[in-house]
């Protein structure tokens, strides 16, 4: 099995991928891989994607609206965004991997779906991480924010770039096993000290020597990313983050996922269209007010 | 035939229904549009939205000058609906003309430009700029609940709404539709004032005012507190407003509010709308409006209805209005 080539590589900035498609996808597998964490594998058409690491899809577990009957919101009116956690091509088969936690009504319904079923899929959407470059890459994850970084690390390794993992959570039982990542490559941090460094992942980074000036690529809760952005800015480190606001359409058609930008331009960034991967320095972190209930990539 | 070509495509569905409608002075090849603000400027992802299949495209509301819109969060899902507080973020009329209009023109459907402003003269200034793009019609948004000035403040007053319409009418002869707020005691009074001021028709309705609270953080979800509620939760409410307008005013109506399926759309046609708009449904399925066109064709075919326009207003006089018991059933 080989990884599909990624478009848009080598531009030195957040990259866009293929045009999104809007079609049902077949469920190949859907299982719990750790406490509170599930892995969903979808079969997508051979013309689908390929996605760039950092891009996302929206999923709806409900069937398409039937035009013969009155339309209702069902479980939820909106589809939900999920980072692409894996994408593999084998001949004409395309497999899309999604890591999720069944914490809301939609994700709980997702966790009940069986192989052989279908769900609504829109994507790939948004921007991806820059893949080209010479610098070593520090992958910094918080909680379930590992999802896009799993796919990213796969692509970076294919390009021969050195990667180091820094992975933080509140407690050891919130750390998600990293499939395919050797334990020795990961440095852990937990706020309660139950695994690895006692403190936040940014506390851990502060103890590390950054002489080789890495590129940092990160995904996690808002607070973690804001702290990471400060840490990177103080050291003039190239830092990319994958962010989430409450998404409406996921395609840049509704303008619902605005977040404040730095600089003099009063225009907002749209997390789904300008992101989800942005330079950390593009975001006015202090001004970014949110209803704050969701984080990362669930 | 000439009219079909002018409208940019066939008015006959795959099942054979004649889907064309007359919306006042506008001939539409089918009665389905997107609702303003739910499909960008209209031209962003034509393959994904299948927007070329619609009867008309409605752009995101434009103002004369660019606007940044409201701070986040801007969306909050509710049971059966969606609260939004976008705040008329847009690139301004000049940039729209340069960057979007040529491509929109090439797509085929009628092009309706939604316009907003803080004052009547600002609406007029925006339209004056957009006249260079020769749109097929304008939709005057006097009902946005998410801005501090203009918007709903105009739409709640018959006099202020009429003043906006008069200002726009002075600078264009193109068809004008006024998008009404449902947040009024008597929507027909506002509608009549708009028609008397020179509007050709009405779009009903914009979002309902709503609110959400973040209990964990003990604060309002939205910076402005209020937001606009859309989605299937408001469909029966919107339908009643459209029926009321159809009963009382003899004018072209565009029905909008929680329409997700072709069946929903036909409800609005039956009570008196000549066309419909799909909004929130596009957020989950960007091709939803195009699918509603197909669905209408199939339902009409199954019911033996050859022309969709024959359904329009069939139920306009089917029940007495609690507000207007004496209103003539056919509106004339």
């Amino acid at each position: 099995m080989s990884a599909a080539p990624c478009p848009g590589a080598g531009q030195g900035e957040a990259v866009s991928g293929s045009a999104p498609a809007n079609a049902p996808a077949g469920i190949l597998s859907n299982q719990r891989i750790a406490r509170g964490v599930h892995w969903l594998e979808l079969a997508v058409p051979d013309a689908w994607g390929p996605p760039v690491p950092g891009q996302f899809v929206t999923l709806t577990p409900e069937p398409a609206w039937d035009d013969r009957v009155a339309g209702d919101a069902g479980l939820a009116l909106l589809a939900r965004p999920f980072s692409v956690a894996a994408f593999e091509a084998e001949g004409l088969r395309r497999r899309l991997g999604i890591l999720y936690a069944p914490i809301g009504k939609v994700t709980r319904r997702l966790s009940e779906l069986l192989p052989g079923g279908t769900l609504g899929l829109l994507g790939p959407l948004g921007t991806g991480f820059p893949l080209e470059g010479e610098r070593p890459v520090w992958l910094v994850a918080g909680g379930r924010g590992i999802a896009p970084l799993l796919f990213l690390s796969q692509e970076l390794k294919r390009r021969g770039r050195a990667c180091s993992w820094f992975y933080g959570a509140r407690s050891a039982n919130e750390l998600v096993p990293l499939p395919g990542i050797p334990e020795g490559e990961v440095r852990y941090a937990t706020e309660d000290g139950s695994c690895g460094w006692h403190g936040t992942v940014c506390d851990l980074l502060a103890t590390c020597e950054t002489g080789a000036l890495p590129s940092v690529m990160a995904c996690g809760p808002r607070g973690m990313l804001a702290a990471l952005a400060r840490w990177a800015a103080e050291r003039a480190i190239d830092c990319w983050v994958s962010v989430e606001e409450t998404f409406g359409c996921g395609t840049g058609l509704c303008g619902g996922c605005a977040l404040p930008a730095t600089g003099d331009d009063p225009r907002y960034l749209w997390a789904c269209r300008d992101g989800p991967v942005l330079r950390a320095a593009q975001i006015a972190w202090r001004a970014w007010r949110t209803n704050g209930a969701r984080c990362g990539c669930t | 035939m000439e009219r079909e070509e002018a409208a940019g495509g066939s008015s006959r569905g795959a099942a054979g229904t004649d889907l064309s409608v007359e919306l006042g002075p506008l001939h539409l090849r089918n009665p389905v549009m997107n609702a303003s603000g739910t499909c960008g400027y209209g031209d962003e992802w034509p393959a994904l939205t299948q927007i070329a299949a619609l009867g008309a495209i409605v752009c995101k509301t434009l103002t004369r000058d660019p606007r940044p819109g409201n701070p986040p969060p801007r969306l909050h899902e509710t049971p059966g609906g969606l609260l939004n507080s976008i705040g008329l973020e847009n690139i301004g009329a000049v940039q729209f003309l340069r960057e979007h209009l040529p491509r929109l023109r090439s797509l085929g459907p009628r092009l309706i430009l939604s316009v907003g402003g803080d004052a009547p003269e600002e609406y007029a200034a925006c339209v004056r700029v957009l006249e260079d793009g020769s749109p097929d019609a304008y939709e005057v948004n006097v009902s946005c609940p998410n801005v501090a000035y203009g918007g709903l403040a105009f739409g709640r007053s018959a006099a202020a709404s009429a003043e906006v319409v008069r200002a726009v009418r002075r600078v264009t002869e193109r068809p004008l539709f006024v998008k009404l707020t449902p947040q009024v005691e008597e929507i027909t009074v506002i509608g009549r004032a708009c028609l008397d001021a020179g509007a050709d028709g009405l779009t009903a309705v914009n979002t309902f005012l709503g609110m959400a609270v973040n209990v964990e953080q003990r604060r309002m979800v939205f910076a402005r507190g209020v937001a606009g509620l859309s989605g299937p939760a408001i469909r029966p409410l919107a339908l009643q407003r459209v029926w009321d307008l159809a009963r009382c005013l003899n004018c072209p109506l565009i029905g909008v509010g929680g329409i997700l399926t072709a069946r929903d759309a036909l409800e609005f046609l039956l009570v008196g709308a000549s066309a419909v708009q799909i909004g929130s449904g596009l957020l989950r399925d960007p091709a939803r409006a195009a699918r509603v066109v197909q669905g209408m064709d199939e339902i009409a075919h199954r019911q033996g209805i050859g022309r969709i326009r024959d359904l329009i207003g069939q139920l306009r006089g089917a029940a007495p209005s609690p507000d207007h018991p004496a209103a003539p059933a056919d509106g004339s």
Side-chain angles (χ1 to χ4, degrees), chain A residues 67 69 76-77 80 253 255 290, chain B residues 40 74 77 214 219 261-262 284:
Chain A
D67 275 297
V69 300
L77 183 60
R80 297 291 189 263
L253 294 176
T290 180
Chain B
R74 291 179 169 185
E77 198 168 342
N214 183 325
R219 67 179 188 189
T261 67
R284 188 201 291 181

Side-chain angles (χ1 to χ4, degrees), chain A residues 78-152:
Chain A
L78 301 177
R80 297 291 189 263
F82 298 87
S83 290
V84 175
F87 184 73
E88 291 172 334
E90 186 181 41
L92 290 179
R93 295 179 65 167
R94 299 284 185 275
R95 287 163 171 257
L96 176 67
I98 304 288
L99 182 100
Y100 70 97
I103 52 172
K105 58 185 177 179
V106 175
T107 43
R108 280 198 298 272
R109 172 72 62 84
L110 263 188
S111 72
E112 295 162 2
L113 299 179
L114 299 172
T118 60
L119 42 71
L121 168 71
L122 177 62
L125 300 166
T127 57
F129 288 101
L131 299 171
E132 298 299 309
E134 301 301 321
R135 292 177 182 173
V137 178
W138 287 10
L139 301 167
V140 182
R144 290 178 298 273
I146 60 161
L149 302 185
L150 291 172
F151 182 27
L152 175 62

Side-chain angles (χ1 to χ4, degrees), chain A residues 20 22 62 65-71 73 76-78 80 248-249 251 253 255-256 258 266 268 270 289-291, chain B residues 40 45 48 68 71-72 74-75 77 86 89 214 219-221 235 261-264 283-285 288 291 299 302:
Chain A
N22 177 21
E62 298 187 282
W65 281 300
D66 180 348
D67 275 297
R68 295 167 299 184
V69 300
L77 183 60
L78 301 177
R80 297 291 189 263
C249 60
T251 53
L253 294 176
Y268 289 93
W270 290 357
R289 180 181 185 268
T290 180
N291 50 9
Chain B
W45 295 109
L48 197 65
R74 291 179 169 185
L75 297 176
E77 198 168 342
I86 309 290
E89 172 173 352
N214 183 325
R219 67 179 188 189
M220 295 289 188
V221 165
R235 190 165 64 236
T261 67
R263 189 190 178 284
D264 302 338
L283 303 189
R284 188 201 291 181
D285 176 5
R288 184 87 294 263
R291 286 172 180 157
I299 292 172
R302 266 199 309 279

Side-chain angles (χ1 to χ4, degrees), chain B residues 189-212:
Chain B
V189 171
I190 311 286
R192 192 182 300 278
C194 293
L195 296 173
D196 290 346
D200 295 275
L202 305 168
T203 304
V205 291
N206 207 322
T207 52
F208 283 75
L209 271 180
M211 183 176 276

Side-chain angles (χ1 to χ4, degrees), chain B residues 52-322:
Chain B
L54 306 190
I57 298 173
V58 186
C59 74
K60 187 172 176 49
T61 295
L62 296 162
T63 49
R64 183 191 56 191
D65 302 317
R67 289 193 182 195
N70 289 339
R74 291 179 169 185
L75 297 176
H76 183 81
E77 198 168 342
T78 64
L82 177 68
L83 284 164
N84 88 78
S85 179
I86 309 290
L88 299 188
E89 172 173 352
N90 80 100
I91 56 176
V94 172
Q95 193 178 342
F96 168 81
L97 275 189
R98 193 173 60 234
E99 294 181 4
H100 293 276
L101 195 104
R103 192 157 169 217
L104 279 167
R105 271 262 155 260
S106 72
L107 290 173
R110 298 291 193 195
L111 183 55
I112 300 178
L113 301 185
S114 172
V115 294
D118 284 351
E121 52 272 25
E122 195 187 328
Y123 282 81
C126 181
V127 167
R128 205 178 285 118
V129 172
L130 295 172
E131 280 288 279
D132 284 347
S134 304
D136 294 299
Y138 294 100
E139 184 176 84
V140 182
N141 181 357
V142 291
S143 43
C144 176
N146 297 320
V147 291
Y149 305 100
L152 196 57
F154 289 131
R156 277 178 156 167
S157 153
S161 297
E163 197 185 338
V164 172
V165 174
R166 275 193 298 273
V168 173
R169 183 42 88 208
R170 278 195 286 273
V171 296
T172 183
E173 295 181 349
R174 298 179 199 281
L176 293 184
F177 294 86
V178 182
K179 189 164 183 180
L180 301 178
T181 175
Q183 298 291 151
V184 290
E185 195 172 329
E186 183 44 78
I187 196 167
T188 58
V189 171
I190 311 286
R192 192 182 300 278
C194 293
L195 296 173
D196 290 346
D200 295 275
L202 305 168
T203 304
V205 291
N206 207 322
T207 52
F208 283 75
L209 271 180
M211 183 176 276
V213 168
N214 183 325
V215 172
E216 290 73 28
Q217 298 177 7
R218 294 192 294 279
R219 67 179 188 189
M220 295 289 188
V221 165
F222 295 103
R224 287 175 43 77
V226 296
L229 182 66
S230 64
I234 71 164
R235 190 165 64 236
L237 307 173
L239 189 68
Q240 187 273 333
R241 269 62 172 187
V242 171
W243 176 73
D244 216 8
L245 288 164
R247 276 181 57 85
C248 295
L249 307 175
N250 187 22
C251 75
L253 292 172
I254 304 170
V256 53
I259 298 172
L260 297 178
T261 67
R263 189 190 178 284
D264 302 338
L266 292 173
E267 286 190 356
F268 282 77
L269 260 53
L270 284 165
V271 302
S274 296
V276 293
Q277 296 178 346
I278 319 289
S280 305
L282 293 177
L283 303 189
R284 188 201 291 181
D285 176 5
R288 184 87 294 263
R291 286 172 180 157
V292 165
V293 177
Q294 286 173 26
M296 272 187 174
D297 175 35
E298 288 161 13
I299 292 172
H301 177 69
R302 266 199 309 279
Q303 296 191 3
I305 296 156
R307 301 189 312 176
I308 209 82
R309 80 187 75 150
D310 292 342
L311 296 177
I312 295 169
Q314 278 191 6
L315 301 181
R316 192 161 51 180
S321 164

